Amino acid sequence: FQPSKSFAEAPPVEVADVRAVSAEQSNTTAIINRDYVVKVFRRLQTGINPDVEVSRFLSDVAGYQNTPSFVGAVEFERGGETAALAIVHRFVENQGDGWALTSSYLDRFLDDYRLLAADAAADPAQHAAFLLRMRQIGRRVAELHNALASGAPGSAFAPEPITAADLQAWTEELVQDAVRTFDALQRSQAQIPESIRPLVSELVGRRDAVLARIRGLLPPELDGQKIRYHGDLHLGQLLIVKDDVFIIDFEGEPQRGIEERRRKAPAARDVAGLVRSIDYAGTAGLDRMVLATPEERVRLAHAIEEWRAQCVEALLLAHLEFAETGLWPSDPEARRRLTDFFVLQKAVYEIGYELANRPTWLNVPMRGLWRLLFPDEGVY
């Protein structure tokens, strides 16, 4: 049982109230006295748990303010191996997470937009308030990355230069992931919703072109740094706290091994996770609408696409503005290629995840992958 320094020096806590959190998740979470959040890991893995490691560093070393304070962790040790059992943070009063906020906003926007005449011009400033929120998210994530890159030389949190070997390794890993994903799609035709089977067939049929595109995304050399990063950043990992944003849950993508989740990568990898989450939110908002005609759906889909593009632009510009020098390549084209690579990597991961767990959501990453790979061929 390893408490943080501040918790160890505080008076003992009397547990008066325990409330389970019922939201869908891969762990078990309870709120204690509305002061603490205890997360129990249901899947135990030996090694240094990134949630414990990163939370402790941000609170005790870097002093990053926009994440709940680390209180302590429970770990099981035997034979020189360690497995995290639980982690405790301070509870932060909030108005929900970024996914809920975005979903509510899109429901209101789409309801209002469908009432406009089909030929009515869209208000160019209609998303201004929401884009300010997206800019705030970009800033806080940039500040998170600044903190995660602030470790002493030689430490687990010291930034390292991106090498040609890194670029080659990332590319080959994504090629292998894409091949496995294509194979899984071919084996699982019965699980794939009928509405997107033509898209799946088209992409699988273009396997060679897709793999060639992946191999050509990253340049042979790239300036910039790789750092410790969040690893599973999406709108649901952002707590809305009054007019600010807090970032939670540094466990990483649950389907990846614990050592893989501790590797360093460019900050663009986290930004790509948010880009994909924005895409998910837009598609989910459109799917919640009960539409009268196919023409109405097409019209609203174009409105969602415009919203998505504005959100991504606001997010990227804010992150670039507040990120410290070195976290992004100096060349704008190199930045674009790096971001596209990790957005594509995330979409490939999502296809495998949705195919195994939520086939009805498979249309979101499939369409996102198509839009990125074949932008000149329209929305499938």
Side-chain angles (χ1 to χ4, degrees):
F1 292 80
Q2 295 289 338
S4 66
K5 181 180 179 182
S6 61
F7 186 76
E9 294 173 349
V13 174
E14 179 180 347
V15 176
D17 179 68
V18 179
R19 178 169 61 87
V21 175
S22 58
E24 177 189 348
Q25 52 190 343
S26 57
N27 300 303
T28 298
T29 304
I31 297 175
I32 312 297
N33 299 352
R34 292 194 68 81
D35 291 322
Y36 304 96
V37 179
V38 178
K39 178 167 71 175
V40 180
F41 300 108
R42 292 205 296 263
R43 181 188 178 199
L44 303 186
Q45 294 180 281
T46 57
I48 300 175
N49 186 295
D51 203 1
V52 175
E53 181 186 25
V54 172
S55 295
R56 180 180 282 126
F57 177 81
L58 290 175
S59 290
D60 292 354
V61 180
Y64 179 69
Q65 299 297 311
N66 282 76
T67 191
S69 298
F70 174 74
V71 172
V74 182
E75 296 172 308
F76 179 72
E77 296 182 358
R78 181 173 63 183
E81 293 186 333
T82 300
L85 303 180
I87 187 170
V88 186
H89 291 93
R90 284 278 181 181
F91 176 75
V92 176
E93 291 286 353
N94 62 87
Q95 291 77 56
D97 61 35
W99 177 268
L101 174 85
T102 304
S103 298
S104 296
Y105 174 80
L106 287 176
D107 287 346
R108 294 191 302 271
F109 163 66
L110 290 172
D111 272 335
D112 292 342
Y113 191 80
R114 69 187 303 184
L115 297 177
L116 295 175
D119 57 352
D123 179 0
Q126 61 187 337
H127 300 303
F130 189 85
L131 294 176
L132 286 176
R133 177 74 73 177
M134 194 57 58
R135 177 175 169 79
Q136 179 78 336
I137 290 171
R139 175 176 181 170
R140 294 308 186 207
V141 172
E143 292 168 349
L144 169 70
H145 289 143
N146 295 341
L148 291 173
S150 66
S155 72
F157 290 89
E160 300 174 11
I162 299 172
T163 66
D166 290 327
L167 297 170
Q168 183 176 0
W170 296 337
T171 296
E172 289 308 311
E173 285 175 8
L174 181 51
V175 167
Q176 293 171 17
D177 286 346
V179 168
R180 284 192 291 267
T181 299
F182 280 131
D183 290 343
L185 288 169
Q186 287 182 303
R187 291 193 306 267
S188 308
Q189 290 293 322
Q191 297 172 243
I192 297 172
E194 189 172 348
S195 61
I196 63 164
R197 286 180 187 176
L199 172 56
V200 172
S201 297
E202 184 71 24
L203 274 172
V204 170
R206 298 193 188 193
R207 175 194 290 241
D208 291 344
V210 172
L211 298 181
R213 176 72 191 279
I214 291 172
R215 289 192 172 98
L217 265 178
L218 292 177
E221 294 183 354
L222 198 69
D223 64 321
Q225 297 171 333
K226 55 184 181 180
I227 61 172
R228 292 298 297 272
Y229 60 106
H230 185 284
D232 191 23
L233 194 56
H234 53 77
L235 293 170
Q237 309 284 36
L238 307 174
L239 294 182
I240 307 304
V241 182
K242 298 180 180 178
D243 292 327
D244 211 342
V245 177
F246 274 53
I247 303 169
I248 62 172
D249 193 357
F250 297 92
E251 192 177 353
E253 291 174 333
Q255 288 187 306
R256 299 191 186 276
I258 201 163
E259 284 306 313
E260 184 179 1
R261 287 183 265 151
R262 294 185 65 237
R263 293 179 190 168
K264 294 172 183 176
R269 189 166 183 175
D270 275 344
V271 175
L274 283 172
V275 170
R276 293 294 312 128
S277 191
I278 291 167
D279 189 34
Y280 263 75
T283 302
L286 189 61
D287 287 347
R288 286 192 298 272
M289 299 294 293
V290 179
L291 302 175
T293 65
E295 291 76 15
E296 188 177 26
R297 181 177 180 86
V298 170
R299 178 170 171 263
L300 293 183
H302 283 301
I304 285 291
E305 179 61 20
E306 179 61 27
W307 167 84
R308 186 195 69 82
Q310 291 182 35
C311 286
V312 169
E313 181 181 30
L315 174 74
L316 290 173
L317 288 176
H319 192 284
L320 186 62
E321 178 181 346
F322 290 99
E324 292 180 353
T325 302
L327 292 185
W328 286 97
S330 55
D331 177 57
E333 176 62 15
R335 293 197 292 264
R336 184 195 63 78
R337 293 175 67 175
L338 188 67
T339 304
D340 284 353
F341 177 86
F342 284 111
V343 171
L344 183 59
Q345 181 193 64
K346 187 68 174 179
V348 169
Y349 172 86
E350 290 165 352
I351 290 170
Y353 179 88
E354 303 299 9
L355 188 62
N357 298 282
R358 303 185 303 182
T360 56
W361 281 81
L362 192 57
N363 67 307
V364 184
M366 290 297 299
R367 290 195 168 101
L369 188 66
W370 175 270
R371 186 170 55 245
L372 187 64
L373 290 170
F374 308 107
D376 298 330
E377 298 190 34
V379 178
Y380 202 94

